[in-house]
Amino acid sequence: MARLETRKSEDYYVACLTVIPEEFAAFREVYDKRHSRPLGIDPRDPNQYEFGEIAGHNVVLCSATAADLLRSFEGIKYALLVGIGGGVPSRACDVRLGDIVVGTPGYLSSGITHHDQGKQLSDRFMHLNFPVPPPRAIQAAVSQMRVRELDKSSKIPNIISSVVGKLPSFNRPDNRSDHLFQADYEHAGEGSDCDECDKKRLVQRSARDNLAPQIHYGVIASGGLLVRSAAKRDSLRDLYNACCIDMEAAGIMGTLPSLVIRGISDYADSHKNDHWQKYAAVAAAAFAKELLQCLPSLLAGSTSCSDGTSDESTVTTQPISHTLENLLEREARTIKAYNWRESIVDLSKILGLKWDVGSRPQLANALQVNKGPNGSATQNNALRRALMKELRVENGSIVIPGHLQALRN
Ligand SMILES: [Zn+2]
């Protein structure tokens, strides 16, 4: 066997994060070239890694926490979260098993919604943790992917064939095992498959004319709890427009701006089983490989890939102040407090702070602002400027300093 090349750990700038062994095994097969373990990995790092090249990028594949990864690989600029997720079918999104969902920033979302972090107010759930959107160079590569899909030049089916040629047990299950039951019909019987479930309760869907995965770009609802309920699934669909549910993304995205790519392995309901997991993992890995073909290489001396059109400027990450603005703007739209750039009332509402005029002196005191009469425009402006200066972004969330905690609404 030929000796594998060795690189330094800092040469790896793309990380691919997986959770279950099937995801790791599927992604390992999409490397163009493998490397041996690089020098310079923290010896205490307990994680499982693979190393190699895809489309001229040095890519580390890991089954790891982001914190461990970043300790051993300081050069990581892009992270792809590649694996399986639960589909959320809706009128807008006819997602089927084996399809691919890509967490894509939209009007109100970074592409990932952290659905179980925040606080319950009397009339709504307020999100306090906003994962950051994927890096701009990755977003540009996603745009390229959409073009490839439109002009039918995508190579995803070929990549999938090549992987399942090497891993036959990862082949696509029969369409007859893609069961989407009506939301009010619970799984029957002891077994994990749906042999005993009433097929008259299946949702009727039109047949597709080919077996290639369809790609859906939209919101992925991410949380710490396994969703195994059609009612919960459909509430996430209605609340966030989600087309996929996963358990890992939001936690990792807080640490590392990432793109989340999910192969659909179930419908997050009581019928959920692992029959489609391996194929779904291959579908996600195939998308990741093609995406990397659309991402300009950062290696010194290398030319950007033939499909990449982004110039160097798209590679830079967003400055923190921009991220704070984005986070504020996103929450402003969610709670319809659009005037936060001019109004202390709207800014306070966004941050979950007391916003009534009666609390203004307490806020002025906490911010050490002594300008204008209480409730005046002068005071409003001074408070707003002072409050903005106190805010910072940490792990993709707005952090409000401790001395303002007493002003929480
Ligand atoms: Zn069932």
Side-chain angles (χ1 to χ4, degrees):
M1 199 176 141
R3 255 178 79 97
L4 297 176
E5 284 177 44
T6 310
R7 300 282 158 85
K8 293 193 286 268
S9 63
E10 59 263 35
D11 292 339
Y12 292 89
Y13 61 87
V14 178
C16 208
L17 286 97
T18 61
V19 177
I20 62 171
E22 288 80 0
E23 297 165 348
F24 191 90
F27 193 88
R28 199 161 49 179
E29 299 302 331
V30 302
Y31 274 115
D32 298 330
K33 190 159 119 185
R34 300 265 275 276
H35 300 155
S36 57
R37 191 176 174 87
L39 308 167
I41 296 185
D42 184 336
R44 292 161 301 177
D45 185 340
N47 297 296
Q48 190 184 4
Y49 294 112
E50 285 286 341
F51 311 92
E53 266 174 61
I54 297 173
H57 305 287
N58 287 334
V59 180
V60 52
L61 163 63
C62 53
S63 177
T65 61
D68 285 328
L69 171 80
L70 292 174
R71 211 168 44 236
S72 290
F73 298 91
E74 292 173 351
I76 297 297
K77 292 211 160 40
Y78 308 125
L80 305 177
L81 276 50
V82 185
I84 61 169
V88 183
S90 66
R91 213 168 288 169
C93 181
D94 176 20
V95 63
R96 314 257 175 121
L97 301 187
D99 279 358
I100 299 160
V101 175
V102 182
T104 314
Y107 178 56
L108 286 178
S109 162
S110 62
I112 302 297
T113 292
H114 210 150
H115 68 75
D116 58 4
Q117 287 216 355
K119 62 177 177 177
Q120 188 66 52
L121 306 178
S122 58
D123 59 337
R124 66 191 170 84
F125 186 77
M126 179 170 153
H127 292 266
L128 294 175
N129 193 328
F130 304 90
V132 287
R136 275 189 287 172
I138 295 281
Q139 292 186 42
V142 169
S143 302
Q144 289 282 314
M145 293 291 287
R146 300 178 92 145
V147 172
R148 285 184 175 207
E149 206 187 336
L150 288 173
D151 69 13
K152 304 213 177 335
S153 60
S154 169
K155 297 286 183 292
I156 288 175
N158 306 23
I159 300 169
I160 291 175
S161 301
S162 153
V163 174
V164 300
K166 289 179 268 185
L167 300 173
S169 72
F170 285 60
N171 217 332
R172 190 179 195 283
D174 194 296
N175 261 353
R176 282 171 296 186
S177 64
D178 179 354
H179 296 135
L180 173 61
F181 285 97
Q182 292 164 6
D184 62 349
Y185 180 70
E186 292 286 319
H187 182 65
E190 296 294 307
S192 64
D193 57 34
C194 287
D195 289 352
E196 293 178 46
C197 291
D198 181 359
K199 306 300 184 298
K200 289 203 238 17
R201 300 298 305 275
L202 286 170
V203 175
Q204 295 304 315
R205 297 177 293 178
S206 55
R208 287 187 180 165
D209 46 10
N210 73 61
L211 298 179
Q214 286 194 8
I215 305 169
H216 310 271
Y217 298 91
V219 174
I220 296 175
S222 186
L225 293 174
L226 181 68
V227 176
R228 238 189 145 136
S229 142
K232 173 74 178 167
R233 174 197 71 201
D234 290 349
S235 76
L236 295 173
R237 174 198 65 197
D238 297 341
L239 266 172
Y240 306 116
N241 247 341
C243 48
C244 175
I245 297 173
D246 97 337
M247 278 182 66
E248 322 295 338
I252 294 172
M253 284 189 82
T255 315
L256 199 56
S258 333
L259 182 74
V260 185
I261 302 164
R262 294 286 172 233
I264 299 303
S265 64
D266 57 71
Y267 294 113
D269 56 9
S270 60
H271 308 274
K272 176 182 169 74
N273 62 40
D274 58 11
H275 194 54
W276 281 72
Q277 273 188 1
K278 289 178 175 171
Y279 177 78
V282 174
F287 182 96
K289 178 173 181 136
E290 187 159 80
L291 181 91
L292 290 170
Q293 292 169 352
C294 298
L295 182 74
S297 175
L298 297 184
L299 293 180
S302 69
T303 52
S304 58
C305 84
S306 56
D307 295 291
T309 54
S310 312
D311 60 23
E312 198 62 22
S313 65
T314 61
V315 169
T316 54
T317 48
Q318 293 177 9
I320 292 297
S321 61
H322 187 198
T323 306
L324 175 63
E325 287 247 319
N326 280 353
L327 297 176
L328 289 168
E329 182 61 23
R330 200 172 305 140
E331 179 62 10
R333 288 176 179 178
T334 308
I335 67 166
K336 300 188 167 59
Y338 302 107
N339 203 25
W340 63 273
R341 286 187 177 83
E342 281 89 40
S343 153
I344 187 66
V345 173
D346 280 8
L347 182 60
S348 301
K349 282 182 180 174
I350 291 173
L351 298 169
L353 300 176
K354 292 174 187 163
W355 51 268
D356 58 296
V357 180
S359 307
R360 215 59 61 75
Q362 198 190 347
L363 182 63
N365 190 34
L367 293 169
Q368 298 185 320
V369 166
N370 189 14
K371 275 194 179 156
N374 196 48
S376 67
T378 309
Q379 187 200 42
N380 175 7
N381 281 327
L383 287 174
R384 197 179 35 76
R385 275 197 300 272
L387 184 51
M388 283 297 287
K389 277 192 198 145
E390 297 273 349
L391 303 175
R392 61 199 164 80
V393 173
E394 203 171 89
N395 292 339
S397 300
I398 300 172
V399 178
I400 301 169
H403 66 272
L404 298 177
Q405 296 298 329
L407 280 146
R408 281 210 175 273
N409 210 349

